[in-house]
């Protein structure tokens, strides 16, 4: 635990971890809340330690949500793990290239994609509401999911990160014709794979505040469990509504970083 962290700061970080776990379990995007909270709460910590501690917290909530979904939702774990392994490779490649990318140039491109996604969701209310088709998915669609949802979105996760869960849900629903609840459940298995890879790298580099991460992980775990159960109970309409809110929040956050942040 950082010696200079106050009880108030720790309490606020715990609440942020709780809310982030809930958001991550439903549609992804909890990092939009927890990572900025850690940056504010640990102003003197190197960024690498903030990122490592964030990952040590997020992996617990994401894994808890994945286990809850797998036990209660029709998740094709074999397909999810195939995509997850590809996402690990993609995220490692993205992290490798991250230092040479000008984020000021990349953000407008991501915002354009997000805006298109938002328009698509709003004007296609039936998207992701139909039950998942019965029977095995074709090899061509699985391969497309591995390349796009695995390597492609995994690369984005390593390069920038925010909104990875939302992108995964949309990609899985579009490519594999999953309903939004099944897509959200599958995305948690994939996210767990990428989190394991990233946390392993941070641990090797020694840039994780394990004591703080363990405390925050308890709250993130609780948020993840509650979020997964709410998504399963309330269905695709609930997930769709939260997805819209998260996409709008992403647009606002990226727009602020692009034009208003100092």
């Amino acid at each position: 635990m950082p010696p200079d962290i106050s009880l108030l700061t720790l309490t606020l970080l715990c609440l942020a971890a709780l809310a982030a776990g809930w958001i991550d379990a439903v549609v992804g995007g909890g990092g939009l809340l927890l990572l900025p909270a850690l940056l504010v709460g640990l102003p003197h910590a190197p960024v690498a330690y903030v990122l490592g501690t964030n990952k040590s917290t997020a992996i617990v909530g994401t894994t808890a949500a994945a286990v809850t979904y797998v036990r209660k939702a029709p998740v094709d774990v074999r397909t999810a793990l195939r995509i997850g392994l590809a996402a690990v490779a993609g995220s490692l490649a993205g992290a490798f290239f991250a230092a040479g990318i000008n984020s000021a140039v990349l953000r407008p491109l991501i915002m354009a994609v997000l805006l298109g996604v938002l328009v698509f969701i709003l004007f296609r209310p039936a998207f992701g509401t139909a039950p998942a088709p019965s029977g095995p998915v074709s090899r061509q669609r699985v391969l497309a999911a591995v390349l796009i949802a695995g390597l492609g979105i995994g690369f984005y996760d390593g390069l920038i990160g925010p909104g990875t869960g939302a992108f995964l849900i949309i990609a899985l629903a579009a490519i594999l014709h999953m309903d939004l609840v099944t897509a959200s459940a599958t995305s948690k298995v994939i996210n767990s794979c990428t989190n394991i890879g990233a946390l392993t790298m941070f641990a090797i580099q020694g840039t994780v505040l394990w004591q703080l991460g363990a405390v925050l992980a308890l709250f993130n775990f609780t948020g993840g469990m509650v979020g997964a159960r709410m998504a399963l109970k309330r269905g695709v309409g609930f997930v769709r509504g939260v997805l819209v809110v998260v996409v709008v929040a992403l647009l606002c956050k990226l727009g602020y970083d692009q034009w208003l942040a100092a």
Side-chain angles (χ1 to χ4, degrees):
M1 192 79 68
D4 57 342
I5 189 170
S6 67
L7 180 60
L8 175 60
T9 298
L10 180 61
T11 301
L12 293 175
L13 288 176
C14 288
L15 292 176
L18 179 71
W22 186 91
I23 294 170
D24 257 335
V26 180
V27 293
L32 287 171
L33 180 61
L34 183 56
L35 189 56
L38 283 168
L39 288 169
V40 172
L42 305 173
H44 304 299
V47 174
Y49 281 84
V50 173
L51 293 172
T53 305
N54 173 66
K55 194 60 68 175
S56 72
T57 300
I59 191 173
V60 176
T62 301
T63 304
V67 171
T68 301
Y69 276 123
V70 168
R71 291 174 60 187
K72 298 184 180 182
V75 179
D76 185 343
V77 178
R78 184 177 178 183
T79 298
L81 289 176
R82 286 178 179 177
I83 300 171
L85 290 175
V88 171
S91 64
L92 288 172
F96 179 79
F97 286 105
I101 295 296
N102 188 340
S103 59
V105 174
L106 197 59
R107 284 194 202 106
L109 297 178
I110 299 169
M111 291 174 66
V113 173
L114 282 170
L115 187 59
V117 166
L118 180 61
V119 171
F120 179 81
I121 295 172
L122 292 177
F123 286 90
R124 291 285 299 275
F127 175 72
T129 60
S134 58
V137 180
S138 69
R139 291 183 178 180
Q140 291 81 1
R141 288 191 174 276
V142 172
L143 178 59
V146 168
L147 293 176
I148 297 173
L151 288 174
I153 297 178
F155 182 85
Y156 167 79
D157 190 20
L159 192 67
I160 300 178
T164 296
F167 282 133
L168 279 173
I169 291 172
I170 293 166
L172 293 171
I175 298 170
L176 300 181
H177 294 167
M178 295 179 177
D179 63 72
L180 291 180
V181 172
T182 304
S184 182
T186 306
S187 74
K188 297 304 160 292
V189 178
I190 299 170
N191 264 351
S192 295
C193 292
T194 57
N195 284 342
I196 289 171
L199 182 58
T200 299
M201 182 59 66
F202 284 123
I204 291 173
Q205 295 173 341
T207 56
V208 181
L209 300 173
W210 291 108
Q211 288 182 309
L212 177 60
V215 173
L216 299 182
L218 292 174
F219 289 84
N220 196 253
F221 172 86
T222 302
M225 294 286 287
V226 172
R229 290 175 180 174
M230 286 182 69
L232 288 166
K233 182 178 180 180
R234 299 195 179 188
V236 295
F238 172 71
V239 175
R240 182 177 182 273
V242 177
L243 182 59
V244 169
V245 172
V246 169
V247 170
V248 171
L250 270 169
L251 281 167
C252 293
K253 174 65 167 60
L254 289 171
Y256 175 83
D257 289 343
Q258 179 69 19
W259 294 299
L260 298 178

